[in-house]
Amino acid sequence: MDGRLSNFTSASSLLERDSVILLENALIDTSVPRALNIPEAFRAHGDPGAYIVQARPGALADAVRRATQLGAQPVSFIPNNAWLVRASAALERSLAEVPEIAA
């Protein structure tokens, strides 16, 4: 690819896939169970305090509402169906259990 982090081999039709998170320096398909090869210098150590949360297709508003009710603080929308939230590691584990949240 072009030097971006990614967990898949083909970049065709990424914009059309609800499971792809589009970042400036990373393209992540949350439907692919392959881990990213993140350089050690860029890895979080301890509780990072912020997470990317992706909603299931068609459930973005409900997912944001549920995450906010649990205590997450939305910061910014991220294509596709995702947003950056301020949250503790404990809250991140709770968010993973919300049915409207895919990843």
Side-chain angles (χ1 to χ4, degrees), residues 1-24 26-29 32 34 80:
M1 295 219 11
D2 59 8
R4 292 181 184 169
L5 287 174
S6 66
N7 65 342
F8 51 89
T9 56
S10 173
S12 64
S13 56
L14 287 178
L15 295 176
E16 299 170 14
R17 297 180 66 186
D18 289 328
S19 62
V20 175
I21 296 175
L22 305 169
L23 301 173
E24 186 173 337
L27 305 172
I28 305 163
D29 187 344
V32 175
R34 190 175 332 144
N80 288 331

Side-chain angles (χ1 to χ4, degrees), residues 30-101:
T30 58
S31 71
V32 175
R34 190 175 332 144
L36 289 169
N37 186 18
I38 301 172
E40 184 60 33
F42 296 116
R43 290 182 180 271
H45 299 283
D47 188 345
Y51 296 87
I52 296 173
V53 177
Q54 187 178 47
R56 296 197 184 285
L60 182 62
D62 290 335
V64 171
R65 181 181 45 77
R66 293 281 308 272
T68 303
Q69 289 171 344
L70 289 171
Q73 299 172 334
V75 175
S76 179
F77 176 77
I78 300 171
N80 288 331
N81 298 320
W83 70 102
L84 178 68
V85 299
R86 284 188 191 97
S88 66
L91 180 54
E92 182 270 336
R93 289 187 291 278
S94 295
L95 293 173
E97 301 299 320
V98 173
E100 295 87 357
I101 293 177

